Amino acid sequence: MTSHSIPYGRQNITEADIAAVTEALRSDYLTTGPRVDEFEEKFAAYIGSKYAVAVANGTAALHLCALALDVNEGTRVITTPITFAASANCVRYCGGEVWFADIDPKTLTLDINKVRELIESRPKGFFHGIVPVDFAGYPVDLESYRALADEHGLWIIEDACHAPGGWFTDSQGVQQWCGNGAYAELAIFSFHPVKHIASGEGGMITTNDEALYERLKVLRTHGITRDRGNLRYPDHGGWYMEMQQLGYNYRIPDILCALGISQLSRAEEGMQRRQEIARRYDKAFVGGAVPIAIGTMKVHGVPSSDVRHAFHLYVIEVADRRGLYDYLREHGIYAQVHYVPVHTMPYYQDIGYGEADLSKSEAYYARGLSLPMYPTLTEEEQDFVIAKVKEFVRE
Ligand SMILES: *Cc1c(COP(=O)(O)O)cnc(C)c1O
């Protein structure tokens, strides 16, 4: 029926995207130019933050956040094992310690009760920050995290790579968009092709904090400032600039911002399509639990109406995950596993990750599989995926 392969996620490049990039190539700027500012302004407007800083990729965004918050050898940061390694690695880049806390098996995001237990098991001042991740697109309740962080003097970096366009409803009934800066110091996004908005490589940091915003812009380009009002030494002339701190080259080229801006203009359209696909999966897998010979299939589908799940991933859990993964591949369906828990990676095993109980993360990892989820997935392709999943679980 379907002869081509179906990946778990893929980019959607239109003629308008191609025209936007072509126009950038014909302009005066290849790297830093007007499209960087435009992308930042439009992205901030989309998710509702005051400021945005576009960077080379999501990992660079995380690294700059850690630098801007002065993470160093004495810094201890809590995150989830069920994420891409970069959420934890950014702390290590700056020499800090990563402490993992377990997930809530219902949302698959960091369990705030486990985070509280971990914080309270140590003396005051032991921990410095939390990196919650909107895993699969499920928006973390950052209002609760803010209260916990304030109680203990911690900062928050929201890793919102999976959730541009997702939101949760706070206690005032306000829809709080992921990365809008209302409850976290900083948030980050990625524009890798599997993410909602693709620019090839690319990332964004969002914040409502002006001082952090100014610092991030300087760190993005070697720690160099040309701002006449901020020079530490006397001005030598028009060419003069100062490297005032150790920064990096984490700039994003204008060419890629052209693609990002064009993609961003279709973000809501893509989000609607993801919601439809999720509802169709939900319906096909009847209410989220299919009684089957190999056990019960669990579905992480559309949640209650007080959150908008951004559905970067549509996750199911099955007892014979490896069997299903292989069976789907035999039929050209490239489902994927997100993620091998970060604390089980040899690098983190070697440095030791504390004695935390991460059994929920490990149990999820044993069963989780991400089914194809992207705006251009056709109904025919989705039906094929559904049929193959059902065929396997009923075999
Ligand atoms: C993709 C991703 C990153 C890293 O983004 P890159 O642009 O690939 O560097 C970080 N965290 C999460 C949760 C991601 O999904």
Side-chain angles (χ1 to χ4, degrees):
M1 179 182 161
T2 311
S3 55
H4 58 287
S5 66
I6 305 175
Y8 82 90
R10 65 167 301 160
Q11 73 273 22
N12 172 22
I13 300 295
T14 64
E15 287 305 318
D17 291 341
I18 294 166
V21 173
T22 306
E23 197 189 312
L25 284 168
R26 291 188 207 283
S27 79
D28 291 339
Y29 300 91
L30 291 186
T31 186
T32 310
R35 288 171 186 83
V36 179
D37 295 335
E38 186 186 343
F39 192 25
E40 290 175 345
E41 279 162 26
K42 288 186 169 164
F43 192 83
Y46 176 56
I47 58 136
S49 69
K50 268 198 195 149
Y51 308 105
V53 180
V55 294
N57 54 66
T59 304
L62 282 162
H63 187 189
L64 290 185
C65 287
L67 287 167
L69 291 165
D70 294 315
V71 172
N72 59 40
E73 283 74 11
T75 310
R76 297 185 190 90
V77 179
I78 301 169
T79 191
T80 167
I82 300 300
T83 184
F84 183 61
S87 315
N89 294 351
C90 63
V91 175
R92 299 293 305 142
Y93 294 156
C94 301
E97 282 177 28
V98 177
W99 289 63
F100 294 102
D102 214 355
I103 59 166
D104 173 346
K106 280 201 231 49
T107 65
L108 305 178
T109 63
L110 193 59
D111 183 338
I112 192 167
N113 296 316
K114 294 286 161 57
V115 175
R116 182 179 290 111
E117 274 171 32
L118 181 57
I119 294 171
E120 289 174 355
S121 73
R122 305 281 155 169
K124 212 155 177 74
F126 188 83
F127 290 105
H128 304 86
I130 312 173
V131 184
V133 179
D134 302 307
F135 176 72
Y138 191 99
V140 169
D141 173 4
L142 283 180
E143 187 182 24
S144 303
Y145 271 99
R146 182 77 267 159
L148 177 66
D150 285 348
E151 214 180 299
H152 297 276
L154 310 187
W155 47 253
I156 300 171
I157 302 172
E158 177 188 10
D159 183 337
C161 283
H162 296 185
W167 45 255
F168 73 96
T169 309
D170 73 8
S171 59
Q172 305 300 304
V174 180
Q175 287 176 4
Q176 298 289 352
W177 283 51
C178 296
N180 74 357
Y183 294 111
E185 276 76 3
L186 296 161
I188 70 107
F189 296 87
S190 162
F191 307 121
H192 181 278
V194 297
K195 310 290 163 70
H196 292 62
I197 296 161
S199 68
E201 295 282 356
M204 193 75 81
I205 305 165
T206 54
T207 185
N208 290 347
D209 184 319
E210 191 178 357
L212 286 174
Y213 168 65
E214 295 297 343
R215 184 141 189 233
L216 288 164
K217 280 202 299 185
V218 172
L219 287 169
R220 168 175 66 180
T221 180
H222 309 284
I224 288 174
T225 185
R226 292 169 193 281
D227 177 358
R228 265 40 217 166
N230 272 329
L231 296 180
R232 300 238 313 263
Y233 297 156
D235 189 351
H236 302 179
W239 66 88
Y240 187 64
M241 42 84 165
E242 283 181 354
M243 196 202 110
Q244 296 180 338
Q245 51 193 323
L246 188 61
Y248 293 81
N249 176 357
Y250 279 166
R251 296 186 300 262
I252 182 172
D254 233 39
I255 311 169
L256 302 190
C257 289
L259 181 53
I261 293 163
S262 183
Q263 293 253 315
L264 179 58
S265 70
R266 296 196 308 278
E268 272 308 291
E269 212 178 285
M271 178 60 66
Q272 292 311 324
R273 197 48 208 126
R274 285 175 191 272
Q275 302 299 325
E276 279 166 30
I277 293 167
R279 266 186 239 108
R280 270 185 108 238
Y281 275 136
D282 281 6
K283 224 174 128 202
F285 302 136
V286 280
V290 187
I292 42 174
I294 56 164
T296 301
M297 179 168 132
K298 192 171 164 192
V299 172
H300 294 276
V302 181
S304 68
S305 60
D306 57 355
V307 297
R308 179 159 82 166
H309 191 312
F311 284 112
H312 166 54
L313 306 172
Y314 186 92
V315 177
I316 64 170
E317 291 183 52
V318 291
D320 185 7
R321 192 267 312 278
R322 183 166 192 162
L324 178 58
Y325 173 89
D326 289 340
Y327 184 75
L328 293 177
R329 276 178 90 92
E330 278 165 30
H331 292 90
I333 300 164
Y334 291 77
Q336 191 51 276
V337 175
H338 297 91
Y339 292 91
V340 178
V342 182
H343 70 282
T344 68
M345 294 289 178
Y347 171 78
Y348 282 99
Q349 289 286 316
D350 288 350
I351 56 176
Y353 56 87
E355 60 278 18
D357 170 15
L358 302 169
S359 54
K360 300 281 193 295
S361 300
E362 287 161 13
Y364 159 68
Y365 171 60
R367 299 168 51 95
L369 192 65
S370 310
L371 296 182
M373 165 58 83
Y374 49 92
T376 55
L377 181 72
T378 65
E379 291 201 348
E380 189 200 19
E381 288 167 332
Q382 191 182 3
D383 288 342
F384 181 68
V385 174
I386 290 165
K388 292 296 152 196
V389 170
K390 284 187 166 172
E391 229 169 78
F392 181 82
V393 296
R394 282 185 188 141
E395 250 171 22

